[in-house]
Structures are given as structure tokens and as C-alpha cells.
Amino acid sequence: MPVTVLLVDDEPLVRAGLRAVLAAQPDIEVVGEAADGAAVIPLVRELRPDVVAMDVRMPLLDGIEATRAVLRTVQDPPKILVITTFENDEYVYEALRAGADGFLLKRARPAEIVHAVRLVAEGESLLFPAAVRQLAGEYGAERGNPQARAALDKAALTEREAEVLRLMARGLSNAEIASGLVVGTETVKSHVSSVLAKLGARDRTQAVIAAYESGFVAPG
């Protein structure tokens, strides 16, 4: 089954470019388009895409609020890939905090766009981990979040789970974590799943944000 994608951007040229790149792939199908976040929920319910590629800045309903709305109201929601011009942008960070699974730069090369959609659909890894780490360190650590700290304390992570979370926050993949800890990849996957479950995190991105906002991991 191909990965199905809904494109949401107020610039027709951006949508056309993304459609051309993604439609050329045998394992990806673009099932719809929208010019604003306000149209996302009915289209998601009708088309049931695996991934929504959504601009972070739109005139009526931006990508942040659209992400919140989808995750709040849609059962079994799709993965959300935020499209942005600048990676070091507080709007992007707020979209990730709202539940977006990753972000994609508008200037990305075609191969990077395809890789981003596949990666988000699989839900296995962070996109642009260094950039996510920078965003979390800059915007998350400075504001602090008592709720994140309380949630982390309540999670009662084991010593190994805490170690895995620190490595996740550094942007390491499952394979890189496994190599560093000298364990199997399946063991790491099990630890990651347990960390996400205990933190109530939707994905690795949310877990990394929680790690920084709680002060569990310090920027730099």
C-alpha cells in the first residue's frame, strides 16, 4: 500500500512542486490538496491520509492550530509534517509542541522531501534531529515547563530508559543508540516504546521536547 499524503499550503506553486516530487514515487500517493488549515479536518476525515504535509504559516488557520485541531478531533490521526521556510523558527517549535511529527524545509531537495514523508509515515525517527534539538534547546529550555517536569518525574523511567531518552534528545537513531549501548536494535526499540508510553508522548519528537522543557536534558 502506498503512503497517502494530503498537501496543505496557501501557495499553489509550493503544492504543485510537492505534488510533482511525491507523485513520481511508486510508493507515495498524493490524495488531496488544501490552501488553508481550515480545510484540513474535513479532508482528513474524508481522505484518511497517512501524512499531512502542512505549511506552518497560513492566513485563516495556521499549521499550529490546524495540528492541534486534527489531533484533538480526529480518531487515529495522520502523521503531520510541517512545511517551513526557516528551520530556526518559533512557529515550527510551537507546531512540534502541538503534536507535529517533524518538519520539512521548502528549499529541501526532492530526495529529502521523499525521505521526509517516508520517515514520518514510518514514525521511527526524528527528522533533522540537529535542528529539532536546537529548537528544543532554544525555545523549550528557556521557558521551562513544570508540567513536563512533573510528567517526567511521574514516568519513573528506569536508568536505561533515562539513558535512551538522553541519547534520543541528542538526535541519535535507534541503530546509533544500539551501537553506543552495545545492545540490539530491537532492544532499543523496546526501550523507546516504553519511554514514549511512560511520558504519554505521541512520538520521538514529543519525547525530546519533554526532555528539554522539563530540564531533564540541558541545551548544548
Side-chain angles (χ1 to χ4, degrees):
M1 293 289 291
V3 174
T4 55
V5 181
L6 172 66
L7 303 177
V8 185
D9 196 294
D10 61 333
E11 297 182 41
L13 284 177
V14 172
R15 297 200 308 273
L18 290 171
R19 176 179 280 277
V21 169
L22 297 175
Q25 305 302 312
D27 61 332
I28 298 176
E29 179 185 359
V30 177
V31 293
E33 296 184 16
D36 195 85
V40 170
I41 289 179
L43 283 174
V44 165
R45 286 176 171 157
E46 175 189 352
L47 302 172
R48 303 303 301 175
D50 299 310
V51 177
V52 176
M54 180 153 54
D55 190 10
V56 72
R57 296 175 187 255
M58 291 178 286
L60 296 179
L61 190 68
D62 65 28
I64 300 169
E65 291 305 320
T67 295
R68 290 194 180 108
V70 168
L71 298 182
R72 184 176 62 248
T73 64
V74 176
Q75 187 174 8
D76 191 20
K79 301 291 185 180
I80 297 177
L81 180 61
V82 170
I83 307 170
T84 180
T85 303
F86 307 105
E87 65 264 43
N88 190 20
D89 185 340
E90 191 167 7
Y91 273 82
V92 175
Y93 182 69
E94 289 301 330
L96 295 175
R97 288 188 82 232
D101 300 279
F103 66 92
L104 173 67
L105 298 177
K106 290 188 178 182
R107 65 176 183 271
R109 297 189 301 269
E112 292 174 329
I113 294 170
V114 171
H115 177 65
V117 168
R118 288 174 178 153
L119 199 60
V120 164
E122 293 169 1
E124 290 188 1
S125 184
L126 290 172
L127 281 167
F128 308 114
V132 172
R133 191 168 67 250
Q134 182 179 350
L135 284 168
E138 181 173 352
Y139 297 114
E142 72 181 13
R143 72 181 66 184
N145 187 332
Q147 290 180 326
R149 180 73 253 182
L152 195 64
D153 290 340
K154 184 179 179 180
L157 299 179
T158 66
E159 184 176 341
R160 179 46 62 91
E161 289 167 348
E163 189 174 16
V164 167
L165 178 57
R166 290 189 183 94
L167 295 174
M168 288 167 58
R170 285 174 50 193
L172 273 64
S173 66
N174 285 350
E176 290 168 333
I177 294 173
S179 176
L181 298 180
V182 196
V183 298
T185 303
E186 291 303 317
T187 299
V188 172
K189 286 182 179 179
S190 177
H191 287 314
V192 170
S193 295
S194 181
V195 169
L196 298 185
K198 286 185 175 182
L199 293 179
R202 169 174 156 88
D203 53 35
R204 294 170 75 104
T205 301
Q206 303 306 308
V208 169
I209 287 173
Y212 278 100
E213 290 198 352
S214 65
F216 179 75
V217 174

